[in-house]
Amino acid sequence: MGMPYGLWSLSYNIITQDRVQFCCLQDFVVAAERAPRKIQYSLATLVMPLFSALLVSAGWVLFAFCTFWCCVVLMPVNGTAGFLASLPPTLATSDLDLLSTSNLYPSSSRMWAHLISAYVVSLVALALLLGFSNDVSRLRARYISTRPRGGVSHSVLITDIPCVDGLGAKEPPKRSGAMQPSDQRMDAELGGKGAVSGHHGYTAIDDELLDPWADARSQLRSGNAESMVRNEMVTTYGASKVAAVNVVYDTSKLDPLLAKYDKSKGQLEDITDDYIGKLRRRAEIKKRKQVSLMPALTPKWAKERYHVGTSSVKVDALEYLPQEMEYLLQEMKTERQHIKDARPAAFVTFNDRASANSAATSLQAYDETTWRMQPAPQSDEVIWGNLSMRYKQRVMRSLGMWLLFIAILVFYLPITAAIQMVVNLQNAASIPGLNVIVRLPFVTQVLQGILPGLVLKIFLALVPPILKAMARFEGKMSLSEVDFSVVSRYFIFQVFALFIFNFLLGTVTSDLLGVVKKFNEIAEAPTRRVPELLGVGAAQTSSFYMSYILIQACGLGGDMLRLVGLVLFFVFMKLAGTEKARYRLWAKQNYEFGKNVANHTMVLLLGLAFTVLAPLIAPFCLLYFSLALLAQKYQLIYVVTLPYQAAGRMWMNCFNQIMTGIYFLQAMALCVLAVKGFAFAALLIPLILFTAVVHVNCKKLFRRPWTLMSAKEAALLDARDPADISPSELEEVSVRYLSPVFKVDEAEHAELIQRAAQVDRHMKGEASGLDLSEPVDDTAEDA
């Protein structure tokens, strides 16, 4: 089943720069085609069309249909029912409720329209989701085929390597020579003594060879961690298949040196470029830039050279920074020679995709706490510090983070309750002193329409950074894994805090004072009055979510205007001392997948959950996804950069979250129709069961295509590549997955030091050989 608006064709045409003629996404593609060719090449990836076009377009198409269906079917049915007109007016009731199920009489035959609508919307959503899922599989195959040779497509990450970090390196007590009882039983069952080691003429493999810990101890006696990993891969896949092995080492002492080196390098680049720019413009340099040396932070060599005592000393930046860089580089070289402690992780690059694909999906050892293998992430998204953790440590940390997540959620629930109680007009009007203020028209509109969603959005904005820090502490090994964790947990957080708890509390407190005043009447006839209150209050809470979705849509417009960023930019512009420092303020701005994807799927859930009960929410969701299409088109092409390429793996999270929205649609429709006394509400149960069957089968059908490369595609791509790997390719792959502390470019270092010295001599009036001619831009503008 293909997607109605041709996402597959969209991605293909963005990659090949062909002309495109579509309905829904035409503006997006035209903007991408009109962008410079370099930008087009950067767009020719899977992440951009997947999350700017696929997920957002899925919401747009779904709610375009839902809006049409609700306007034609549900709104006329609800608006002409007249149940609310028969009830005494309250502050909790608004004109919006006339278009919801709150306006239906109990046991009304009009509820047939809502039952049928639940079936229609659910089936349309499932059909769209299945079509988009098929497209993800094809897009993933297209993206994988465009990956260059080497790197991610040919590499695997191995974790939990046994014994290299000391764990399990000690020899266990040896078994006695006598046959163990378990061996005797196996011999008896297989037909006689010695059958375990020689059944049917075959000799069993020695237990020590299959025991990863014993085999690792044996190999480490005569070699090191790198030779052991290479031997393991050569034994399994053959010597001709293994191109490079990069064992991860403990670089905890080198990491602070590298951080200081990078900081000094950035400062020296900024100052040098700033001086050269002014010299080219013949601008006057009134004062040379200086560096303050604080006694507590200055290294020993600098204290002795610049006589730093108890007070800070200012020295010329062009004199000090090159010396500091030289000192740090020598310190790193010295420290590298003492690095011997290997961590239980390694990157292995193969000569062909088929071997890498087989290694990433195979079981290397029967003990799954050792030799765990997975596709390698991109080298620039690896979180090197987390590679030292073992499986059991990650499991324990994950358990601790889930407990912390539950604690944060419980802490957040009172905030949600306070928002619901304070902004409920009828309850607020009962507070002494607020009666006159609350009844003012402007205050009523603000409290009812803007304030609840705005306050909730502010509090929710604090959650993603916390979840990201939790994911890093938990032991996630790459930026993509961190974002996947944030997407999942942020969605769960919003489901409970924003939706379930808020919905239940809003339903109960929608007419709290009325319940208190008429308590005796309700107590006398609870079976009639309680369902009536719940049936009215459930749909009334949708007005809060409409305002929240509207606030989210306005936030998308704010993302395009970027007012907060603009203010911060002007503030930091004053603090940035050089042109290059000012350039860095806006040049690299990463796209926040964790927050944005979870927000999109949450709006999908809210829209689906209330479409049948309060059909007016569908146009609000349509507005949100229309603005999201426009905002993301602008952001992804002109503003943000993509920190990594997930190759469609995040769609599994999106799929499950959209399915959660479909379940809530059906469950809420079933509960509200049952509460309002509709005799045929149970007819929704088969729909729920059908949806569950579709969900389970789709996960089985798409799980591997969304995460793995097919064996046939790997073979075809290998046949397309040259048979032998070139020396330059081998050199590149051998250093690709080295830690950054081993990849300091000494040629670049020497060039920067030389240029700084030339600038210094030129400013002193000495012969420098500094070239002050304007650089020539060789990039030609595409037609």
Side-chain angles (χ1 to χ4, degrees):
M1 177 183 291
M3 195 184 66
Y5 287 89
L7 177 67
W8 165 245
S9 300
L10 167 64
S11 177
Y12 179 81
N13 282 297
I14 288 181
I15 293 174
T16 58
Q17 292 90 42
D18 288 339
R19 284 289 176 190
V20 223
Q21 293 180 355
F22 297 124
C23 174
C24 169
L25 302 175
Q26 186 174 3
D27 291 341
F28 180 86
V29 180
V30 170
E33 285 191 338
R34 291 178 179 175
R37 189 169 298 274
K38 281 188 176 181
I39 298 179
Q40 289 186 14
Y41 288 150
S42 69
L43 293 177
T45 58
L46 183 62
V47 175
M48 183 277 296
L50 181 61
F51 291 107
S52 68
L54 195 150
L55 178 59
V56 179
S57 182
W60 192 94
V61 174
L62 177 60
F63 285 106
F65 170 79
C66 290
T67 299
F68 170 78
W69 180 266
C70 291
C71 291
V72 173
V73 178
L74 292 178
M75 290 186 190
V77 171
N78 295 337
T80 57
F83 175 64
L84 291 178
S86 64
L87 299 178
T90 64
L91 284 176
T93 304
S94 67
D95 293 338
L96 298 178
D97 300 326
L98 298 176
L99 298 177
S100 69
T101 54
S102 301
N103 200 32
L104 296 179
Y105 281 93
S107 305
S108 172
S109 60
R110 292 171 179 257
M111 296 182 196
W112 276 107
H114 299 81
L115 189 145
I116 295 172
S117 296
Y119 268 87
V120 170
V121 174
S122 296
L123 294 177
V124 168
L126 289 173
L128 284 172
L129 192 55
L130 182 60
F132 277 88
S133 299
N134 277 318
D135 288 325
V136 169
S137 301
R138 291 195 292 271
L139 280 169
R140 176 178 168 80
R142 164 67 64 173
Y143 172 70
I144 289 175
S145 66
T146 62
R147 279 178 170 176
R149 189 181 185 186
V152 176
S153 61
H154 288 65
S155 302
V156 296
L157 169 60
I158 306 176
T159 59
D160 296 273
I161 300 174
C163 300
V164 295
D165 56 347
L167 182 65
K170 185 178 180 181
E171 290 283 354
K174 293 186 176 180
R175 297 172 58 181
S176 62
M179 184 177 289
Q180 299 298 314
S182 59
D183 293 342
Q184 294 176 357
R185 286 196 301 271
M186 293 177 66
D187 280 338
E189 292 174 0
L190 294 175
K193 187 175 180 179
V196 172
S197 60
H199 188 52
H200 295 304
Y202 292 98
T203 302
I205 298 176
D206 188 358
D207 288 345
E208 287 197 0
L209 293 178
L210 292 180
D211 181 5
W213 298 98
D215 185 48
R217 285 191 293 268
S218 175
Q219 294 196 52
L220 288 175
R221 291 192 197 104
S222 57
N224 55 21
E226 182 175 340
S227 64
M228 182 184 70
V229 174
R230 182 176 289 276
N231 289 337
E232 188 77 14
M233 296 296 102
V234 167
T235 301
T236 308
Y237 301 101
S240 62
K241 302 295 185 182
V242 181
V245 174
N246 296 119
V247 175
V248 178
Y249 290 92
D250 181 11
T251 59
S252 56
K253 294 182 179 179
L254 274 168
D255 292 336
L257 296 175
L258 180 64
K260 292 179 182 178
Y261 177 85
D262 288 339
K263 181 180 178 181
S264 299
K265 180 182 176 182
Q267 290 177 335
L268 186 59
E269 285 178 340
D270 289 352
I271 293 171
T272 304
D273 291 345
D274 185 58
Y275 282 153
I276 291 176
K278 289 180 178 179
L279 291 173
R280 283 174 180 161
R281 299 191 303 269
R282 302 183 183 276
E284 181 184 0
I285 301 176
K286 298 180 180 179
K287 185 179 180 181
R288 294 180 57 142
K289 297 185 183 298
Q290 294 182 322
V291 177
S292 295
L293 302 182
M294 308 294 293
L297 303 177
T298 304
K300 183 178 179 180
W301 68 268
K303 286 183 178 180
E304 294 175 354
R305 177 168 298 183
Y306 294 103
H307 309 290
V308 180
T310 57
S311 59
S312 61
V313 176
K314 290 187 176 183
V315 298
D316 185 74
L318 277 182
E319 178 184 350
Y320 173 76
L321 291 176
Q323 295 174 1
E324 184 179 42
M325 288 178 59
E326 292 283 4
Y327 169 78
L328 292 172
L329 182 60
Q330 292 302 320
E331 285 289 305
M332 285 190 285
K333 286 182 178 180
T334 304
E335 194 63 41
R336 285 178 201 160
Q337 299 174 357
H338 297 88
I339 292 180
K340 296 180 180 179
D341 297 333
R343 300 293 89 188
F347 292 92
V348 178
T349 302
F350 293 88
N351 286 320
D352 61 317
R353 293 175 176 84
S355 299
N357 191 42
S358 175
T361 58
S362 62
L363 177 67
Q364 186 68 19
Y366 288 112
D367 184 357
E368 289 211 61
T369 62
T370 63
W371 295 108
R372 298 179 64 85
M373 303 175 72
Q374 65 186 58
Q378 292 177 353
S379 57
D380 54 356
E381 65 156 325
V382 175
I383 303 175
W384 295 95
N386 287 348
L387 295 179
S388 61
M389 297 184 195
R390 288 192 173 270
Y391 174 74
K392 293 180 180 179
Q393 186 179 1
R394 289 192 179 92
V395 170
M396 296 304 297
R397 288 198 178 198
S398 178
L399 178 60
M401 290 301 98
W402 276 110
L403 294 176
L404 178 60
F405 174 79
I406 294 172
I408 295 173
L409 182 59
V410 172
F411 172 78
Y412 192 87
L413 293 183
I415 299 175
T416 305
I419 293 172
Q420 274 290 347
M421 296 297 292
V422 171
V423 303
N424 186 287
L425 296 184
Q426 194 165 356
N427 297 326
S430 64
I431 300 175
L434 293 181
N435 187 23
V436 177
I437 299 176
V438 167
R439 294 182 183 276
L440 294 175
F442 174 75
V443 175
T444 300
Q445 294 170 5
V446 171
L447 287 177
Q448 220 170 17
I450 299 176
L451 189 60
L454 185 60
V455 172
L456 199 57
K457 182 176 175 63
I458 292 172
F459 278 101
L460 286 175
L462 305 175
V463 178
I466 298 175
L467 297 181
K468 184 175 289 189
M470 290 168 56
R472 283 179 171 269
F473 179 81
E474 186 178 336
K476 300 301 181 184
M477 294 175 284
S478 64
L479 297 180
S480 57
E481 288 186 2
V482 170
D483 269 348
F484 295 166
S485 175
V486 174
V487 168
S488 298
R489 287 179 176 168
Y490 190 38
F491 179 79
I492 295 172
F493 187 92
Q494 291 187 89
V495 167
F496 281 95
L498 174 63
F499 179 58
I500 294 178
F501 184 76
N502 216 344
F503 172 74
L504 295 176
L505 187 65
T507 300
V508 173
T509 62
S510 61
D511 194 13
L512 186 60
L513 293 182
V515 172
V516 173
K517 292 178 181 178
K518 300 179 180 179
F519 180 78
N520 293 332
E521 179 184 343
I522 295 172
E524 292 175 359
T527 57
R528 180 177 64 85
R529 291 292 292 160
V530 171
E532 181 181 296
L533 289 170
L534 293 177
V536 172
Q540 286 180 340
T541 58
S542 64
S543 60
F544 168 77
Y545 295 108
M546 290 180 198
S547 67
Y548 177 76
I549 293 172
L550 189 60
I551 293 293
Q552 290 286 75
C554 293
L556 292 172
D559 289 342
M560 293 182 65
L561 296 175
R562 304 173 68 232
L563 295 177
V564 176
L566 183 64
V567 173
L568 294 177
F569 176 76
F570 278 110
V571 172
F572 289 118
M573 276 282 286
K574 300 297 183 182
L575 301 176
T578 65
E579 291 290 338
K580 202 163 187 175
R582 286 189 284 270
Y583 168 79
R584 284 200 299 268
L585 293 176
W586 60 267
K588 189 175 181 180
Q589 302 184 42
N590 290 334
Y591 186 75
E592 296 288 341
F593 284 109
K595 178 187 71 174
N596 291 318
V597 173
N599 283 339
H600 295 332
T601 53
M602 192 62 203
V603 172
L604 268 165
L605 182 145
L606 295 175
L608 286 171
F610 284 100
T611 292
V612 175
L613 306 183
L616 191 60
I617 201 171
F620 284 82
C621 294
L622 179 61
L623 173 65
Y624 173 86
F625 285 107
S626 298
L627 290 174
L629 276 174
L630 178 63
Q632 290 202 3
K633 175 181 71 175
Y634 172 78
Q635 293 277 359
L636 288 169
I637 293 179
Y638 299 112
V639 180
V640 299
T641 56
L642 302 177
Y644 57 83
Q645 303 295 348
R649 289 177 291 128
M650 197 179 286
W651 183 253
M652 177 66 78
N653 289 347
C654 300
F655 178 86
N656 291 327
Q657 291 169 9
I658 295 172
M659 287 300 305
T660 303
I662 297 175
Y663 287 131
F664 272 112
L665 180 157
Q666 299 163 359
M668 290 181 62
L670 174 63
C671 293
V672 171
L673 294 183
V675 164
K676 291 186 76 71
F678 185 54
F680 299 96
L683 292 177
L684 286 171
I685 296 177
L687 177 62
I688 298 176
L689 297 177
F690 172 77
T691 303
V693 171
V694 171
H695 188 190
V696 172
N697 282 278
C698 281
K699 288 187 69 173
K700 292 180 180 179
L701 183 65
F702 291 114
R703 180 180 60 84
R704 294 201 297 171
W706 290 344
T707 54
L708 307 177
M709 179 194 297
S710 72
K712 182 176 181 180
E713 183 180 17
L716 292 174
L717 292 173
D718 288 334
R720 185 187 66 182
D721 292 337
D724 298 325
I725 187 170
S726 65
S728 60
E729 287 181 311
L730 182 61
E731 182 181 359
E732 181 183 355
V733 300
S734 64
V735 300
R736 183 186 297 271
Y737 282 104
L738 285 176
S739 174
V741 298
F742 298 105
K743 294 194 291 187
V744 177
D745 192 336
E746 294 192 26
E748 184 180 350
H749 167 90
E751 181 183 354
L752 178 59
I753 298 297
Q754 180 183 3
R755 188 171 56 174
Q758 288 177 333
V759 172
D760 186 35
R761 289 195 299 269
H762 185 90
M763 294 176 65
K764 291 178 180 178
E766 302 173 1
S768 63
L770 181 65
D771 183 13
L772 295 177
S773 60
E774 292 289 341
V776 179
D777 188 6
D778 295 330
T779 59
E781 191 70 24
D782 289 319

